[in-house]
Amino acid sequence: MPHKVLLVDDDKDILDLLKYNLEREGYTVMGERDSQQAVATAHSFQPDLIILDIMMPKVNGIEVCSQLRNLEEFKSTYIFFLTAKSEKYLQSEALEQGGDDYIEKITGLRALTHKVSTVLKKNLVIRKCIKHIDIGDLHVDRTKNLVYYRGKEVVLPKHEFELLYFMAQNPRKSIPHDSILHNIWGSEVYLFAKSIDTYINNIKQKIGAPLIAKQGNRYRLEGF
């Protein structure tokens, strides 16, 4: 059965554009313009992923997300935010209320479709609401953007931290180069595979352990 995606946005043009493009990717898509009806629509539609705009009349997207997360049936449903707002406090609040990812509309449609494909087709995890990840001797703390390995604190720049955080959510999974690229840098940035290798080598040197293996154009967090 095709994966189901629920879109919630009061802008009809954006809703139609998203629906058209996601249906082209093979998803069953339902659109909802009334944020007050979003939870009821989610109940009846039972989507695998929900994409919310933030700034909507009546009830904003963050409040809708909070309502959904308080219901047992939507505890593990993916919830992405797609919004024109870029303020950091809104991003933080969206994730704090249970959003799994925050995508700015300015980054374009491709970033969204790649992230949807990552979680629904490639079965990789993107859950930025998870604050702490423990895998063996590795501890990743998103609240402070710090990494600890065997008790040693390791400070990583933003992209290195996000790369390791993404891989730590998918341990022992073979992650394609394009999934790393689009989920860390976005669809408008092009990096050669060797550029990602540089970031990964920096991570390994700073942590002091060869935690990330490469095979062809795929990468895997292993050794746990």
Side-chain angles (χ1 to χ4, degrees):
M1 295 293 292
H3 291 290
K4 295 191 290 185
V5 180
L6 173 62
L7 304 171
V8 184
D9 197 312
D10 62 303
D11 188 319
K12 183 180 183 301
D13 291 338
I14 291 176
L15 207 60
D16 290 344
L17 177 64
L18 293 176
K19 189 172 186 293
Y20 172 76
N21 280 276
L22 289 172
E23 285 178 340
R24 285 184 61 192
E25 295 293 320
Y27 305 108
T28 299
V29 184
M30 178 174 285
E32 177 60 74
R33 294 178 63 191
D34 188 339
S35 58
Q36 283 187 319
Q37 295 297 316
V39 174
T41 302
H43 271 299
S44 60
F45 186 51
Q46 290 295 303
D48 301 292
L49 184 146
I50 300 168
I51 300 172
L52 298 171
D53 186 21
I54 286 186
M55 303 308 293
M56 293 184 287
K58 300 178 183 177
V59 181
N60 69 42
I62 294 175
E63 292 170 342
V64 173
C65 178
S66 179
Q67 291 176 29
L68 290 166
R69 287 300 191 218
N70 284 328
L71 300 170
E72 192 62 36
E73 64 187 297
F74 298 113
K75 291 289 187 186
S76 60
T77 303
Y78 273 103
I79 300 178
F80 287 173
F81 285 95
L82 182 67
T83 178
K85 295 291 183 179
S86 60
E87 290 87 342
K88 294 299 181 184
Y89 78 90
L90 278 178
Q91 295 184 20
S92 298
E93 187 178 357
L95 299 180
E96 188 68 30
Q97 294 302 319
D100 292 304
D101 205 356
Y102 187 107
I103 305 154
E104 295 179 26
K105 289 179 180 177
I106 196 171
T107 62
L109 190 61
R110 284 191 298 169
L112 176 66
T113 55
H114 275 291
K115 286 177 182 285
V116 172
S117 173
T118 294
V119 300
L120 296 184
K121 292 183 178 180
K122 297 179 181 177
N123 199 30
L124 295 171
V125 176
I126 305 175
R127 293 201 186 274
K128 293 183 179 178
C129 56
I130 296 176
K131 298 177 181 178
H132 300 276
I133 302 175
D134 287 292
I135 308 172
D137 294 322
L138 181 68
H139 175 74
V140 183
D141 183 346
R142 189 169 184 84
T143 64
K144 300 178 181 177
N145 281 10
L146 289 174
V147 174
Y148 299 86
Y149 184 70
R150 294 181 177 173
K152 175 189 173 184
E153 180 182 296
V154 181
V155 179
L156 299 176
K158 177 183 177 181
H159 287 125
E160 292 176 14
F161 177 85
E162 292 293 342
L163 197 162
L164 183 59
Y165 178 76
F166 177 46
M167 299 197 72
Q169 291 193 333
N170 298 278
R172 294 173 293 278
K173 290 183 181 178
S174 184
I175 304 177
H177 165 268
D178 67 325
S179 293
I180 294 176
L181 172 63
H182 292 296
N183 286 295
I184 307 303
W185 283 273
S187 60
E188 304 307 318
V189 176
Y190 183 77
L191 294 179
F192 292 103
K194 65 181 181 181
S195 301
I196 291 181
D197 290 348
T198 299
Y199 282 96
I200 288 176
N201 286 334
N202 289 342
I203 292 170
K204 292 193 288 189
Q205 289 176 9
K206 291 170 184 175
I207 290 178
L211 302 180
I212 302 171
K214 180 184 179 184
Q215 185 173 17
N217 243 12
R218 290 175 172 265
Y219 303 82
R220 178 161 54 188
L221 187 70
E222 56 183 27
F224 303 103

